[in-house]
Amino acid sequence: MLKPVLALLLSVPFATRAAEPAALSLEATFDAYIQVIAHNDGRARDILRRSLETADADHHHHIASSTYRLYAFGGLDKVFSAAATEAIHARIQRIRCEITGIEAVKRDTSDHHEVRYQCLLPDVSAAFDVYRENRRYFHPDKDEERFAAFLDQYAAIVSDAPDRIHQAEAAFYRLGSPGPWMGGTLDDLAPALFGRLLPFKEWDERIDAESVVVFSGIPACDLMLDAQMKFAARHYPDDPRQRGAALHESMAELLNMLGRESSMRYCRAIHDAYRDQWSATFDNTLPRR
């Protein structure tokens, strides 16, 4: 009689320990992030949240709450019709991502790994000409009927779109030792996925860049450089640092350092920040205070 009771008592700590949530491996953490970001998978979110909750709460407050801001495609039903939204979501469910390489990065504190990965995303390039013809309806006074017709046509193209490969890297950090892994820069995937599904801003830049000199082959950077050079020609015609050759050289160094994707984001951000200043007219002959 004592043996069964003793065995039961001895097993309690082990049963309790087994019920505690365990931190996911790096690979499993990546998979959970992808399921949440691309598919809004509730079960994957719970698994990821429980893993992050194993981190030291004194040093990582509310870290698990970050899992509720990851989904890339929220709000499509606010723009597209119900049928179009359903068709797009069906295509989104076919998005798949996988790790292609992991490299440890030495740090003095927590573990840091760079993860290379690739995703199969919808290739919506076939819709570019349709967008060019209809982009005039993307404004507050748009023809609602024509705009809705374009969205339905676009959704049909997306639903039948073939796959294209998207390659990227993300930094993963271990929250303490032996704590859970966190996708430190995997948040960048959400806007990348959204931009690949609805690349209207990129297409606007591509169309607008047809009227400027091609320097980099990246429309966002060619537009930025064109605006900067015109501003410099108007206001600093005698400054050698503001001449075309100097600006071209700086841009070439930047593109070589950042790569195409990062350069596009950088040029877009700089152009947005200085757009008003570069297009403004002011008298630069006045003495400066």
Side-chain angles (χ1 to χ4, degrees):
M1 182 66 182
L2 289 176
K3 288 185 178 180
V5 173
L6 183 58
L8 179 61
L9 291 174
L10 290 175
S11 68
V12 169
F14 295 98
T16 302
R17 191 178 301 117
E20 294 176 355
L24 297 173
S25 66
L26 175 56
E27 292 81 359
T29 301
F30 173 86
D31 290 340
Y33 267 105
I34 295 301
Q35 290 302 315
V36 176
I37 293 172
H39 307 303
N40 202 26
D41 188 309
R43 181 174 178 273
R45 180 181 287 104
D46 289 341
I47 293 173
L48 180 60
R49 176 179 54 78
R50 288 197 297 269
S51 177
L52 292 174
E53 286 175 345
T54 63
D56 185 349
D58 292 335
H59 295 89
H60 305 286
H61 302 286
H62 311 297
I63 191 67
S65 64
S66 63
T67 60
Y68 293 97
R69 301 187 299 270
L70 294 174
Y71 184 46
F73 303 113
L76 291 180
D77 58 341
K78 301 294 190 299
V79 179
F80 292 88
S81 66
T85 300
E86 183 178 356
I88 292 176
H89 275 298
R91 180 62 182 86
I92 289 172
Q93 289 303 313
R94 289 158 49 193
I95 292 176
R96 295 292 182 269
C97 300
E98 63 179 5
I99 293 175
T100 58
I102 299 176
E103 182 178 353
V105 180
K106 292 184 178 180
R107 286 290 184 271
D108 293 335
T109 55
S110 60
D111 290 348
H112 173 197
H113 284 59
E114 291 291 334
V115 175
R116 296 185 300 277
Y117 65 94
Q118 67 178 25
C119 301
L120 295 179
L121 309 181
D123 182 356
V124 299
S125 57
F128 174 72
D129 290 336
V130 177
Y131 176 75
R132 180 197 288 273
E133 296 171 3
N134 290 274
R135 75 168 182 153
R136 62 184 180 276
Y137 302 125
F138 282 66
H139 58 80
D141 298 325
K142 60 183 177 290
D143 184 322
E144 293 288 350
E145 185 175 346
R146 289 181 178 271
F147 183 65
F150 161 73
L151 292 178
D152 287 343
Q153 186 178 7
Y154 186 81
I157 294 174
V158 171
S159 65
D160 294 330
D163 288 331
R164 63 172 295 183
I165 295 177
H166 170 77
Q167 295 180 322
E169 295 183 356
F172 276 74
Y173 301 93
R174 190 189 293 277
L175 304 178
S177 180
W181 288 96
M182 177 183 179
T185 60
L186 198 60
D187 290 358
D188 293 342
L189 179 59
L193 291 182
F194 190 86
R196 290 291 182 268
L197 185 73
L198 302 170
F200 301 148
K201 184 175 181 64
E202 184 175 343
W203 286 350
D204 281 337
E205 292 168 344
R206 177 178 166 185
I207 295 169
D208 294 340
E210 292 173 354
S211 61
V212 304
V213 175
V214 176
F215 170 72
S216 67
I218 303 174
C221 293
D222 290 340
L223 289 169
M224 184 204 75
L225 189 61
D226 180 75
Q228 187 178 13
M229 290 176 62
K230 288 176 179 176
F231 172 81
R234 290 195 307 270
H235 302 292
Y236 304 103
D238 299 324
D239 188 344
R241 297 170 300 176
Q242 299 291 334
R243 291 175 182 169
L247 295 176
H248 284 176
E249 184 177 352
S250 298
M251 177 61 68
E253 292 177 359
L254 177 71
L255 297 179
N256 185 59
M257 178 177 65
L258 294 180
R260 184 178 181 86
E261 290 292 328
S262 296
S263 295
M264 180 181 69
R265 292 194 295 269
Y266 172 84
C267 293
R268 185 178 292 163
I270 294 296
H271 198 176
D272 288 344
Y274 288 94
R275 190 181 305 274
D276 292 341
Q277 178 180 332
W278 287 343
S279 61
T281 300
F282 65 92
D283 187 355
N284 68 330
T285 63
L286 296 175
R288 298 182 180 180
R289 294 181 179 179

